[in-house]
Amino acid sequence: MTFKEAYMKLLAGYKIKRPDWEGYWFMSHVNGKLNIKLANGNIITEGDLTLTVAHTLADDWIIYEGDK
């Protein structure tokens, strides 16, 4: 799906990712901000997220189905 479609899912509470990622993006229930869970388990909650901007042009976004 496009990032626009994925973003709407993100706002609805889903976790989204690109197919080759082990981590995912999600919205914080606490402050409503974007968070990124990395493959190593670390979560990025603030700071320099500029590397993520290039991913918004991709059209292969999927819903993250893990952590059920």
Side-chain angles (χ1 to χ4, degrees):
M1 75 182 93
T2 66
F3 181 72
K4 181 179 178 180
E5 294 165 323
Y7 184 69
M8 297 309 292
K9 296 288 188 182
L10 186 69
L11 293 177
Y14 290 89
K15 298 171 184 171
I16 61 171
K17 64 180 265 168
R18 305 272 314 276
D20 58 337
W21 291 359
E22 293 182 36
Y24 54 85
W25 292 7
F26 66 100
M27 297 299 285
S28 168
H29 291 45
V30 176
N31 61 18
K33 293 185 178 182
L34 174 68
N35 290 277
I36 300 172
K37 185 166 184 180
L38 304 174
N40 66 8
N42 291 340
I43 297 177
I44 299 173
T45 58
E46 60 184 49
D48 186 8
L49 299 177
T50 56
L51 292 176
T52 64
V53 173
H55 293 291
T56 63
L57 299 174
D59 62 358
D60 63 348
W61 287 90
I62 59 175
I63 301 295
Y64 177 74
E65 300 287 342
D67 295 345
K68 287 187 173 182

